[in-house]
Amino acid sequence: MYFPVAGIEVSPWVPPVVAFCVSLCTSMGGVSGAFLLLPFQMSVLGYVSPSVSATNQVFNIVAIPSGVYRYLKERRMVWPLTYATAVGTLPGVLIGAVIRVKWLPDPRNFKMFVALVLAYIGLRLIRDTFFPKARPAAAAQPTSSPQPSASSGCLAADMAVTDTCYSMRRVEFTFQGQRHGFSTGGVLFMSFVVGIIGGVYGIGGGSFIAPFFVAFFHLPVYTVAGAALMGTFLTSVCGVLFYQAMQAVGFAQSAAPDWSLGVLFGMGGFAGMYVGARCQKYVPAKYIKGLLSGCILFLAVRYVAEFFR
């Protein structure tokens, strides 16, 4: 099957199968999998024009709703965290889209940028997985009836987020018998920064923000996944519209997405995210982080090698 916008030819079953496998694993950590699909499109399929970023965001739009539905159904969506993520990320994504089109159109330079971003995420995940810092006592206060720890990866009787309190300065909620909280301003600022990176990379910022929530704000991975995916979905919608508009008004060429290819990837991602979100509570977080860190560090090294060839 030929995709004229992408300028590539590939069997129609390949994008859904690849997207399903990727999303099945990454959705457990609140990541859509777009950050792995982008290298696949560039290196394997040969899709290297600027529109690949917008196509990646089409994948997010189609794939993410199934994962969000599962987290909503299981009451593991922290809505104040979702809102703060979306509000902070959105302007950053739009700025990143302009940077991608105007200053990073060359595939060689773009691959170096991708390598640096992937290397940082991979090293961060390794550090969080194998060298975790001691958690501040104030960050998680036990409630009167403690339940099995979610960090063990075991299914507890109740995985729902409860007793959510929020203000302009701070948000707090209870999960698995522990009280968690974060600074609203801190999440907004961090979301804006990663939104710029995510806009350039064409992934909405979810793969960056989810590890930050766990590492810097000490939030359980079982509660940040839904918020990160929802924030990625909202910013991806705006990102696609922005890319489409830039090409329509002549601000940039080859910026609009390849809709047919993006939808094919999204169909596989839709199924993968649903299964991944459903299975997440059975899988220890360290296994998810270990798998992701290995994949993205491999890609980072490969792109650095290609840059210096």
Side-chain angles (χ1 to χ4, degrees):
M1 182 175 180
Y2 182 70
F3 298 90
V5 176
I8 61 173
E9 187 171 356
V10 61
S11 298
W13 61 267
V14 172
V17 170
V18 172
F20 174 84
C21 295
V22 170
S23 298
L24 174 63
C25 299
T26 59
S27 61
M28 296 183 189
V31 180
S32 68
F35 77 109
L36 289 177
L37 290 180
L38 181 66
F40 175 80
Q41 293 178 74
M42 295 176 65
S43 297
V44 179
L45 301 184
Y47 184 8
V48 294
S49 71
S51 64
V52 67
S53 295
T55 302
N56 234 26
Q57 292 185 340
V58 171
F59 157 77
N60 284 336
I61 295 172
V62 178
I64 287 177
S66 64
V68 170
Y69 168 75
R70 283 303 313 180
Y71 290 119
L72 281 172
K73 186 175 181 180
E74 297 175 6
R75 295 185 298 160
R76 286 190 283 143
M77 183 73 72
V78 184
W79 283 110
L81 181 61
T82 304
Y83 299 145
T85 301
V87 171
T89 306
L90 178 56
V93 168
L94 300 183
I95 293 173
V98 174
I99 294 174
R100 168 69 172 103
V101 172
K102 301 302 292 185
W103 290 288
L104 287 174
D106 185 279
R108 182 171 178 269
N109 293 333
F110 186 43
K111 284 188 177 183
M112 174 54 76
F113 173 80
V114 169
L116 294 175
V117 173
L118 289 177
Y120 177 78
I121 299 175
L123 293 174
R124 168 64 66 176
L125 286 173
I126 289 177
R127 176 184 173 185
D128 294 342
T129 304
F130 300 104
F131 307 99
K133 293 182 178 180
R135 188 173 180 177
Q141 298 294 336
T143 58
S144 57
S145 301
Q147 300 179 25
S149 172
S151 62
S152 66
C154 299
L155 176 64
D158 187 3
M159 296 282 284
V161 173
T162 59
D163 301 325
T164 302
C165 301
Y166 57 91
S167 67
M168 294 298 293
R169 298 184 60 183
R170 186 168 178 80
V171 175
E172 294 186 353
F173 61 91
T174 299
F175 178 74
Q176 291 289 279
Q178 292 185 323
R179 195 68 177 166
H180 303 272
F182 59 88
S183 165
T184 306
V187 168
L188 286 171
F189 175 76
M190 184 174 294
S191 298
F192 175 73
V193 174
V194 301
I196 295 177
I197 301 174
V200 174
Y201 198 19
I203 57 176
S207 62
F208 304 98
I209 201 66
F212 275 102
F213 285 158
V214 177
F216 292 112
F217 294 99
H218 308 289
L219 301 179
V221 68
Y222 301 98
T223 63
V224 306
L229 286 177
M230 188 63 177
T232 301
F233 173 78
L234 295 175
T235 53
S236 293
V237 170
C238 296
V240 168
L241 294 176
F242 191 58
Y243 274 115
Q244 191 79 52
M246 284 196 296
Q247 179 165 320
V249 300
F251 181 76
Q253 298 297 320
S254 302
D258 189 314
W259 288 93
S260 55
L261 182 60
V263 169
L264 279 178
F265 275 112
M267 291 170 59
F270 186 90
M273 286 196 196
Y274 183 87
V275 177
R278 185 180 182 89
C279 297
Q280 184 220 39
K281 55 192 175 184
Y282 299 98
V283 181
K286 65 179 181 180
Y287 294 155
I288 302 172
K289 293 179 181 179
L291 174 63
L292 291 178
S293 61
C295 291
I296 61 182
L297 284 176
F298 171 79
L299 291 171
V301 172
R302 178 177 178 178
Y303 279 165
V304 170
E306 291 181 359
F307 177 83
F308 288 105
R309 284 180 183 174

